Amino acid sequence: MNFQNTLQFARGLDELDPLQTFRDRFFIPQHSGRDAIYLTGNSLGLQPRTTADRIAEELEDWAQLGVEGHVHARRPWLKYHEFFADGMAQIAGALSSGVVMMNGLTANLHLLMVSFYRPTPERYKIICEAKAFPSDQYALQSQLRFHGYDPKDGIIEIAPTKGAHTIDESQIYAAIDAHAHEAALFFMGGVNYYTGQVFNMRAITAYARERGILVGWDLAHGAGNVELHLHDWGVDFAAWCSYKYLNSGPGAVSGVFIHERHHGQRNIPRFEGWWGTNKDRRFLMEPAFDPIPTAEAWQLSNAPVLSMTPLLCSLELFQEAGLERLRAKRDQLTAYLEWIILEVGREAGDSFEIITPKSASERGSQLSVLLHGRGVEVFNELQKNGVIADWREPNVIRMAPVPLYNSFEDIQRFAGIFKNALKNSTPHD
Ligand SMILES: *Cc1c(COP(=O)(O)O)cnc(C)c1O
């Protein structure tokens, strides 16, 4: 498509957008009396307008029923986590029995590694990406140390080659080949949080598994953003948070995927709690754990109802919008933003580098822009003028137009503010 940097053109695209009305179903943060240009849905998704009423229903049920709400609330709390399974499974490309919402993301990574990182003196290494999200690095390092291994030797990092920003798929296969005899686990972000690069999870999973390595993906930037078929791809486990693309509010509950092949196993090492045991016998308070033959076996506690409710509202919107339509709009919005950034840069005589891959199959909503010769002063100007984006040292701006609530008009308004930001800040060497 030939894009144009005019309001009329952008509004034309919005009029053709079958998802245009979904924006009105979110609260859009305000700046100087009008909608801010919110490009950080990859960091914290916006609030669906139904959220407060839904939480109020739970509060009302609690007020009126007390403990009886476990059974008699309009959404009985005893099985609250079950209300998320179908919607979440659709987004994860999983069977409903393969997903469960619980805990926080990093906590879940640890719980999953208890089961799926089982090092032996011959096979104890973990293959991952260099500069993984810090929490993931800490989780991997501490798991190695917990088992008595040295992370310096036990973590195999795959880094972009010199001068590159993204990792070539061939490097991943080379690393798997080189460490096939000594790696216990392959674990990476399916979508890199910094560059927005999306990895070929299907092919990589198959490649590592064929070599006897278990495979886990961190999908913090994948869930609700990119197409996932975790079950069909044969992924052993995955985890994600629901406050980024899944719009469930700060610190909201995390999701996990565990492949069917691991369900119902009694001998798998696992940290267990009463919400993982046979539901029919749970309240008999028997001493022996009888694992639910689904991903629920990994659940420890009863669901944090009040903090999970927003996810119900969000999953309904995903369901209604349809994942295919969301992805089609995502690609068009992202392409428009890419074009706008390069066009405004060109007009200003600046050369910006978008370090996110160009191909739609290797990226989702996010674009990461390297501001050669520019720095935080550009970002500060954007912020002052109502653009909410994300700054990473030394000079990268991350932006994610989200198809559920961002508009083409947002992107075009961004263009004007970006242009002024470049004008009002001085380049440096
Ligand atoms: C956002 C994010 C996290 C956050 O972890 P929490 O446990 O939810 O605080 C972890 N890993 C990655 C890759 C992320 O993008």
Side-chain angles (χ1 to χ4, degrees):
M1 176 178 276
N2 286 323
F3 291 125
Q4 294 170 29
N5 181 7
T6 65
L7 188 56
Q8 192 190 6
F9 176 81
R11 285 188 173 159
L13 288 181
D14 282 328
E15 268 159 38
L16 293 173
D17 169 17
L19 302 179
Q20 62 168 312
T21 57
F22 280 83
R23 178 181 175 86
D24 298 333
R25 298 171 70 181
F26 288 86
F27 288 106
I28 309 291
Q30 298 294 298
H31 177 86
S32 301
R34 64 185 297 196
D35 289 353
I37 298 169
Y38 195 77
L39 297 173
T40 42
N42 57 337
S43 200
L44 186 76
L46 294 182
Q47 184 185 143
R49 286 184 179 265
T50 47
T51 307
D53 285 348
R54 282 301 178 78
I55 295 177
E57 287 175 0
E58 306 300 349
L59 290 172
E60 205 176 278
D61 286 350
W62 178 23
Q64 293 185 358
L65 299 167
V67 72
E68 310 241 281
H70 281 304
V71 178
H72 297 300
R74 60 202 97 185
R75 289 175 289 274
W77 306 326
L78 266 182
K79 51 178 186 180
Y80 207 74
H81 66 279
E82 295 175 23
F83 301 129
F84 303 86
D86 290 344
M88 205 59 252
Q90 216 174 55
I91 287 172
L95 307 176
S96 301
S97 58
V99 294
V100 66
M101 304 304 300
M102 59 184 200
N103 314 317
L105 171 54
T106 308
N108 283 336
L109 293 182
H110 281 296
L111 291 175
L112 290 164
M113 279 192 277
V114 165
S115 296
F116 303 114
Y117 173 56
R118 303 195 296 254
T120 63
E122 294 75 42
R123 265 188 190 274
Y124 61 92
K125 298 197 176 181
I126 302 176
I127 304 174
C128 65
E129 78 266 51
K131 297 198 186 147
F133 192 89
S135 199
D136 298 41
Q137 292 187 46
Y138 306 147
L140 297 181
Q141 290 166 13
S142 58
Q143 282 285 329
L144 272 148
R145 282 197 302 269
F146 176 74
H147 288 284
Y149 298 98
D150 179 1
K152 277 206 197 66
D153 149 69
I155 293 190
I156 310 294
E157 292 190 338
I158 308 170
T161 51
K162 211 169 163 45
H165 298 286
T166 53
I167 294 171
D168 198 87
E169 208 174 305
S170 65
Q171 291 179 268
I172 297 179
Y173 300 130
I176 293 171
D177 282 336
H179 302 281
H181 59 291
E182 55 181 5
L185 176 65
F186 177 96
F187 180 82
M188 244 175 76
V191 180
N192 184 273
Y193 83 97
Y194 183 69
T195 64
Q197 179 178 16
V198 177
F199 292 97
N200 185 343
M201 287 176 259
R202 179 187 56 76
I204 295 166
T205 299
Y207 198 87
R209 283 191 44 81
E210 278 159 19
R211 284 153 186 80
I213 304 169
L214 290 179
V215 176
W217 294 99
D218 185 320
L219 295 174
H221 285 263
N225 177 22
V226 302
E227 188 165 358
L228 299 170
H229 298 281
L230 300 179
H231 177 80
D232 289 345
W233 295 341
V235 170
D236 289 292
F237 71 94
W240 54 92
C241 46
S242 65
Y243 50 80
K244 292 175 179 167
Y245 292 100
L246 295 175
N247 313 312
S248 301
V253 72
S254 158
V256 303
F257 164 82
I258 296 155
H259 199 275
E260 195 180 29
R261 70 172 80 90
H262 302 296
H263 297 176
Q265 289 200 28
R266 281 170 190 274
N267 296 327
I268 200 162
R270 179 173 47 215
F271 287 169
E272 295 171 338
W274 72 324
W275 237 247
T277 200
N278 184 339
K279 293 174 201 178
D280 299 331
R281 306 188 67 81
R282 181 179 289 148
F283 289 94
L284 301 180
M285 303 294 186
E286 294 167 335
F289 184 82
D290 179 14
I292 304 174
T294 69
E296 291 166 281
W298 277 262
Q299 253 184 149
L300 300 178
S301 299
N302 67 100
V305 169
L306 297 178
S307 66
M308 279 173 88
T309 309
L311 181 58
L312 277 181
C313 307
S314 175
L315 289 178
E316 279 167 12
L317 292 173
F318 272 91
Q319 179 89 32
E320 218 183 300
L323 297 181
E324 261 171 55
R325 289 200 301 181
L326 284 166
R327 286 194 294 266
K329 179 175 175 187
R330 172 201 71 190
D331 289 344
Q332 209 187 4
L333 269 179
T334 309
Y336 190 40
L337 178 61
E338 177 181 46
W339 182 83
I340 285 279
I341 291 165
L342 296 176
E343 179 71 7
V344 170
R346 196 180 51 75
E347 281 172 8
D350 275 288
S351 75
F352 301 129
E353 187 181 356
I354 297 179
I355 62 177
T356 309
K358 283 190 178 38
S359 146
S361 66
E362 288 181 86
R363 71 183 186 195
S365 284
Q366 179 182 326
L367 291 179
S368 300
V369 188
L370 188 55
L371 298 174
H372 289 296
R374 298 284 199 158
V376 74
E377 68 284 353
V378 174
F379 179 76
N380 290 341
E381 281 289 318
L382 291 175
Q383 216 174 16
K384 256 198 311 211
N385 293 287
V387 174
I388 305 179
D390 176 82
W391 175 256
R392 295 282 145 155
E393 293 292 338
N395 54 357
V396 166
I397 296 180
R398 297 189 309 166
M399 290 176 272
V402 170
L404 266 175
Y405 49 73
N406 281 119
S407 62
F408 291 91
E409 182 173 336
D410 275 342
I411 309 297
Q412 203 277 332
R413 281 183 55 212
F414 166 79
I417 298 171
F418 189 39
K419 194 170 166 175
N420 283 330
L422 294 176
K423 212 184 313 167
N424 298 335
S425 62
T426 1
H428 50 71
D429 296 328

